[in-house]
Amino acid sequence: MASQSAYLAPAPPRLRFRGAKAIQIAILVIVCVLIMFPIYWMLLSIVQPYKYSLAYNPSLFFRGFDLSPFHTVFLNYSMGLWLWNSTQLALIVTVICLGLSLLGAYALSKLRWKAKPGFGFFILLTQMMPGAIIIVPVLRLYRSLGLVNSLPALAFVQAAFALPICIWILKNVFDSVPGEVMEAALTEGCGEMGVLWRMMLPLSIPGLVAVCVVGFFFSWNEFLFASTFISPDSGLLPGSVGLGTMQGLYDTPIQLLLAAGFIFALPPVVFYILIQRYMISGLTAGAVKG
Amino acid sequence: MGSAGLLQFIARLSRRRLPYLLALPILIYEGIFILYPMLVGIQYSLSNIQAGSTASNWVGFDNYHRMLTDNTFWQAVKVTVEYSLAVIVVALSVAVGTAMLMNQAFRGRGIFRALLTTPWAFPDIPTTIVFVWMASPIYGVLGKMARWLPWVHNNPKWLLDPHLALATIVLISVWKGFPFYSLVILAALQGVPQELYEAATVDGANAPTRFRYVTLPAIKPTLMLLALLAFIFSYQQYTLIWQTTGPGPLQTTQTLSILIYNEAFQFYDTSYAATIGVAGFVLSVIAALMFVFLERQARAAEER
């Protein structure tokens, strides 16, 4: 935890009396309880026997404990396969986003060129494009090329939508690297790309982590393209669509649906909690300046 | 090492060409997957294409004329605006509040921060699963909680109620969306110089005054940026709405994204879906430009 202080720099405002601080912490606890309640309720409805959940006046506390839904989801549904497909998909998207956003962010942040505002505007435009607009043209294109039911082909489209925000995040991080560092490296005989490779990258690790997380989560989450480009019988459904089909069946027992959702949410949540310190400094490097 | 050799080669290129070389792969990539489909979409909107057929007749602006006289379209525009504005206001307010709470020095604030921001990492589909369950009119815990209020005697129907459906979706979207904004605001708060608060306190400013005259101006640029982002995100929101209500009771949750998808994949009206898509994109760009313009004006007025 020693490195934490580096990211959370200045001491926050000192309150005038201790009571105020106690009140603030009490509010914080209440807010946390409210925010976490849906996740708590999810767990409760999964592990307590079914009959207690199906009540007009459900108890707010656990009544009984049974972990079998977690097991049943893997047995009766293709949960394992869905997770594997989602993982492949998300990894491809992450790699594309990382590679391309490095180039774009460096060009936008540290290089001077005439078309820079135009390029920035282009990125903003692509970011504003709702997926629903381009889905039919892309679907037709993919059909004619035989690219439906292909995870890489789906990943390419997902990455196209995650890329703009990745570029902005990384640009902000690069902006916060002082120009003098770069000038010094250039006069030492480092090329522009050498500066990117040897100076910017090591100084921007939190930003790179943030880009990876944003790309990975985007793909893990993505439903619109995945549900349109992958057919259910292909054995290639990612988790989001697999869960969506479970949700669409009226006879799916609720504790199984919730258990599947919980398992699907677990990787990103655990991952996020592990790296959240990097995430925060990475996401927000440029935010301070506005 | 191959990559080092490649890097040296690139380094040897003149400084003037490098930025364009760096931008080129992105232009090509986004061109193939976003710009080209967008242009094809515009072409669709000017012709008459039904799903499954490849035959197309040029119909000029017929589809646009149909759209402008279509009440369903205007209803969707209204719902989109209502939804986006509600999410921006509520999510950013919650985010400012939680960020200020987290911006205090106390033991274990790392844990609080992790807990408070977990919903951001919680994927969309599980979010809809748990909220649909909580909002079930019969077994839902939200109904139980609503009945704690003295004037509520029966479970509200939440997502099935035309008056409550959109509000319930806003609640879900805020739960999922506010942590990201909160983290960014937290970072902005940590950049506010401590002396400002001390000086204000010495001058006798109480907490609300300090918030109004020290905190708010300091984080205002960040808030404006986040409002734009929140607008873009909620404008594009599809999953959270589709998996909870779809068009919703009396189409009260049918945003433009939902309408486009419905036209394309329920009614198989490719051309009309593309028309609404193009119009939706134009509207969002206009909104974003207006936003940027207003922000510039506000900033210029402040500096004067």
Side-chain angles (χ1 to χ4, degrees):
Chain A
M1 295 301 271
S3 61
Q4 184 162 338
S5 53
Y7 298 116
L8 303 171
R14 204 171 292 141
L15 291 160
R16 257 176 298 173
F17 53 95
R18 276 172 166 272
K21 192 162 195 171
I23 293 170
Q24 280 208 314
I25 292 182
I27 298 174
L28 195 55
V29 171
I30 294 170
V31 173
C32 273
V33 169
L34 285 178
I35 300 294
M36 292 307 283
F37 183 77
I39 299 175
Y40 165 79
W41 194 249
M42 194 177 196
L43 261 180
L44 175 136
S45 307
I46 296 168
V47 301
Q48 77 178 359
Y50 197 36
K51 59 178 178 189
Y52 295 118
S53 296
L54 295 184
Y56 182 66
N57 207 3
S59 163
L60 287 181
F61 301 99
F62 283 81
R63 305 181 67 177
F65 199 74
D66 172 19
L67 289 176
S68 66
F70 290 116
H71 188 58
T72 315
V73 167
F74 282 95
L75 287 182
N76 295 5
Y77 300 87
S78 322
M79 193 72 212
L81 182 66
W82 294 342
L83 290 176
W84 169 234
N85 291 337
S86 280
T87 309
Q88 296 176 64
L89 205 55
L91 286 178
I92 304 175
V93 172
T94 308
V95 170
I96 298 174
C97 285
L98 191 60
L100 287 181
S101 65
L102 268 177
L103 306 182
Y106 189 54
L108 276 177
S109 172
K110 290 293 176 210
L111 303 178
R112 271 189 226 134
W113 46 306
K114 252 194 212 154
K116 188 152 96 172
F119 183 60
F121 185 69
F122 174 76
I123 305 283
L124 184 69
L125 270 192
T126 53
Q127 162 136 41
M128 304 221 43
M129 189 81 64
I133 296 180
I134 66 138
I135 192 161
V136 174
V138 176
L139 181 62
R140 287 184 158 223
L141 179 73
Y142 272 16
R143 276 208 187 119
S144 64
L145 297 172
L147 286 175
V148 284
N149 290 330
S150 150
L151 287 181
L154 172 59
F156 290 156
V157 185
Q158 292 184 340
F161 275 85
L163 183 59
I165 183 109
C166 289
I167 294 178
W168 288 128
I169 291 173
L170 209 53
K171 176 196 173 287
N172 277 341
V173 175
F174 284 174
D175 281 349
S176 68
V177 175
E180 298 87 61
V181 177
M182 203 184 139
E183 296 295 322
L186 281 174
T187 47
E188 302 263 315
C190 229
E192 301 268 3
M193 287 308 280
V195 171
L196 171 61
W197 203 247
R198 294 199 206 105
M199 314 276 326
M200 302 303 277
L201 287 196
L203 287 172
S204 315
I205 301 242
L208 299 176
V209 173
V211 165
C212 288
V213 170
V214 167
F216 194 93
F217 282 15
F218 184 92
S219 166
W220 196 263
N221 245 333
E222 208 281 323
F223 179 77
L224 176 61
F225 292 110
S227 63
T228 315
F229 292 171
I230 307 285
S231 60
D233 51 5
S234 63
L236 291 171
L237 281 193
S240 58
V241 188
L243 288 178
T245 53
M246 259 179 103
Q247 206 176 2
L249 301 170
Y250 287 99
D251 55 354
T252 308
I254 185 66
Q255 75 276 28
L256 293 187
L257 184 57
L258 290 166
F262 191 84
I263 293 167
F264 185 65
L266 214 50
V269 168
V270 169
F271 186 54
Y272 170 71
I273 289 175
L274 288 178
I275 54 99
Q276 54 127 352
R277 284 186 286 119
Y278 284 97
M279 196 56 210
I280 290 162
S281 54
L283 271 181
T284 53
V288 179
K289 290 174 289 150
Chain B
M1 205 171 95
S3 68
L6 184 70
L7 287 176
Q8 271 173 4
F9 167 74
I10 298 174
R12 258 184 263 123
L13 290 165
S14 72
R15 290 184 81 165
R16 282 180 57 202
R17 278 196 212 146
L18 182 65
Y20 295 93
L21 271 176
L22 293 178
L24 194 64
I26 296 169
L27 287 172
I28 294 174
Y29 193 86
E30 297 290 301
I32 293 175
F33 289 105
I34 297 197
L35 215 57
Y36 167 73
M38 175 72 193
L39 294 176
V40 174
I42 293 176
Q43 186 209 327
Y44 285 174
S45 76
L46 297 171
S47 44
N48 184 11
I49 300 178
Q50 309 294 318
S53 77
T54 46
S56 74
N57 312 314
W58 191 257
V59 296
F61 288 95
D62 283 9
N63 288 314
Y64 289 92
H65 183 252
R66 172 181 162 197
M67 178 183 76
L68 292 175
T69 52
D70 182 355
N71 284 334
T72 317
F73 168 73
W74 289 110
Q75 160 83 4
V77 171
K78 181 173 151 262
V79 171
T80 310
V81 171
E82 284 173 353
Y83 170 75
S84 302
L85 284 182
V87 171
I88 291 172
V89 171
V90 181
L92 286 187
S93 308
V94 174
V96 169
T98 48
M100 289 183 65
L101 283 172
M102 287 191 282
N103 192 29
Q104 304 292 333
F106 55 84
R107 263 162 180 266
R109 74 168 173 175
I111 297 166
F112 279 112
R113 205 178 48 214
L115 285 178
L116 273 178
T117 53
T118 297
W120 182 70
F122 212 77
D124 286 350
I125 299 284
T127 302
T128 64
I129 291 176
V130 68
F131 273 94
V132 167
W133 167 236
M134 283 170 51
S136 150
I138 311 169
Y139 308 121
V141 70
L142 286 184
K144 176 192 169 102
M145 289 175 168
R147 277 185 282 119
W148 289 343
L149 299 172
W151 64 89
V152 179
H153 301 293
N154 296 308
N155 278 354
K157 291 208 183 333
W158 305 116
L159 295 163
L160 305 173
D161 181 335
H163 301 291
L164 284 178
L166 192 62
T168 312
I169 290 180
V170 169
L171 172 82
I172 301 171
S173 311
V174 168
W175 183 81
K176 178 85 181 73
F178 91 89
F180 175 79
Y181 310 127
S182 186
L183 288 178
V184 179
I185 293 169
L186 177 61
L189 285 176
Q190 286 170 351
V192 181
Q194 194 52 40
E195 299 81 52
L196 285 181
Y197 286 106
E198 278 160 14
T201 311
V202 169
D203 289 345
N206 57 12
T209 321
R210 285 200 302 266
F211 176 74
R212 170 74 184 78
Y213 291 100
V214 180
T215 312
L216 210 51
I219 62 172
K220 201 174 155 201
T222 309
L223 281 182
M224 299 297 275
L225 185 72
L226 289 181
L228 178 62
L229 265 186
F231 171 75
I232 295 175
F233 289 155
S234 40
Y235 194 84
Q236 297 174 340
Q237 184 54 258
Y238 168 81
T239 316
L240 288 182
I241 304 176
W242 185 257
Q243 289 300 106
T244 48
T245 53
L250 303 177
Q251 301 182 338
T252 46
T253 64
Q254 178 153 278
T255 59
L256 286 168
S257 286
I258 302 291
L259 178 62
I260 295 167
Y261 194 84
N262 251 339
E263 290 292 342
F265 294 102
Q266 309 285 323
F267 303 121
Y268 298 111
D269 198 339
T270 307
S271 282
Y272 195 45
T275 310
I276 299 168
V278 172
F281 177 64
V282 171
L283 284 179
S284 72
V285 170
I286 291 175
L289 288 178
M290 253 169 55
F291 190 90
V292 172
F293 177 72
L294 286 178
E295 198 223 333
R296 289 240 169 103
Q297 285 225 315
R299 204 180 278 181
E302 252 165 46
E303 279 162 10
R304 216 174 289 137

